[in-house]
Amino acid sequence: DGGITQSPKYLFRKEGQNVTLSCEQNLNHDAMYWYRQDPGQGLRLIYYSQIVNDFQKGDIAEGYSVSREKKESFPLTVTSAQKNPTAFYLCASRIGRNSGNTIYFGEGSWLTVV
Amino acid sequence: KQEVTQIPAALSVPEGENLVLNCSFTDSAIYNLQWFRQDPGKGLTSLLLIQSSQREQTSGRLNASLDKSSGRSTLYIAASQPGDSATYLCAVHSGGGADGLTFGKGTHLIIQP
């Protein structure tokens, strides 16, 4: 089935540790996005990529990094510089940034600092 | 800067009722508006996408309307069922920002059996 797969579903991070969240899509979409969702808050954009080997910072990029080496993959690394990483992370994709098409989301990953 | 507000923040109704969820936005220069459903601990599932040139979209028991000039959209759910319990979010695509999308905080809906 076509869709977006995020892994792991649950992840625990120790202080000072970097962790990477995986996002894979088989929808052949050019644009991919990472959002952070905190309880009772709207989604906030961390990073986005419109094409392979190119990505841009979103509204809250500090403490995060990404790569886009393949069209179908857009992993997010939460670095030790991110002081409040506990949140629900959502990966999304769309055919094109300025298209009128639907944006699709993965099932999300929970990150907790221990 | 586009701002999206959803009212009410939470709603609890008995099964079988028809209900309306509201979404308002401050900048009427939009490409489209999308309604999503989010179950607890899950990702967002797209329900309806309304282009700026459209007035409404329907899918089953769901009907979404768009009044761009007044900056409003409503999601109408007919004959509500307990399985409709979820958080409903709207997102406006207005071309501003890195992804062009601004999300509301959602309406948490509970349908009582």
Side-chain angles (χ1 to χ4, degrees):
Chain A
D1 289 342
I4 301 173
T5 301
Q6 289 187 238
S7 63
K9 180 66 176 178
Y10 301 96
L11 188 59
F12 299 91
R13 193 194 89 167
K14 296 180 180 179
E15 294 286 347
Q17 188 180 45
N18 293 351
V19 293
T20 297
L21 307 180
S22 171
C23 178
E24 303 277 332
Q25 55 98 358
N26 60 5
L27 300 168
N28 200 33
H29 287 171
D30 288 312
M32 295 187 74
Y33 309 84
W34 274 106
Y35 292 91
R36 170 178 171 143
Q37 186 177 34
D38 293 283
Q41 300 297 313
L43 275 68
R44 292 185 290 170
L45 181 67
I46 305 172
Y47 266 98
Y48 72 104
S49 169
Q50 297 181 41
I51 197 168
V52 175
N53 292 324
D54 182 65
F55 49 83
Q56 304 295 329
K57 293 182 179 180
D59 301 319
I60 55 166
E62 185 176 353
Y64 300 96
S65 66
V66 294
S67 63
R68 187 84 186 276
E69 297 178 1
K70 297 184 296 182
K71 186 176 185 178
E72 59 270 24
S73 179
F74 191 40
L76 173 73
T77 296
V78 184
T79 75
S80 57
Q82 172 49 241
K83 298 306 179 187
N84 185 24
T86 296
F88 189 51
Y89 291 86
L90 287 160
C91 179
S93 72
R94 192 163 58 178
I95 290 178
R97 176 185 176 227
N98 288 321
S99 71
N101 292 309
T102 299
I103 185 168
Y104 295 90
F105 284 84
E107 285 294 290
S109 293
W110 288 96
L111 174 61
T112 303
V113 174
V114 296
Chain B
K1 178 183 175 184
Q2 181 72 269
E3 295 182 0
V4 178
T5 303
Q6 291 189 245
I7 294 174
L11 182 64
S12 180
V13 300
E15 179 179 5
E17 283 199 6
N18 302 325
L19 55 98
V20 174
L21 307 181
N22 297 293
C23 173
S24 62
F25 47 96
T26 54
D27 185 350
S28 62
I30 68 171
Y31 293 111
N32 56 58
L33 183 145
Q34 196 165 352
W35 282 94
F36 296 89
R37 169 187 173 135
Q38 185 176 29
D39 293 295
K42 301 288 188 179
L44 278 65
T45 300
S46 179
L47 298 173
L48 291 163
L49 173 71
I50 310 177
Q51 302 293 350
S52 62
S53 58
Q54 297 174 321
R55 296 285 294 180
E56 64 179 299
Q57 282 285 334
T58 298
S59 176
R61 294 182 295 108
L62 305 179
N63 176 276
S65 68
L66 175 65
D67 185 342
K68 200 172 65 167
S69 61
S70 67
R72 294 180 181 178
S73 176
T74 61
L75 179 66
Y76 175 83
I77 303 177
S80 59
Q81 303 170 358
D84 295 330
S85 297
T87 296
Y88 292 81
L89 295 97
C90 70
V92 173
H93 183 197
S94 54
D99 59 345
L101 289 172
T102 305
F103 288 84
K105 295 182 179 181
T107 294
H108 181 53
L109 176 64
I110 297 175
I111 307 299
Q112 307 156 10

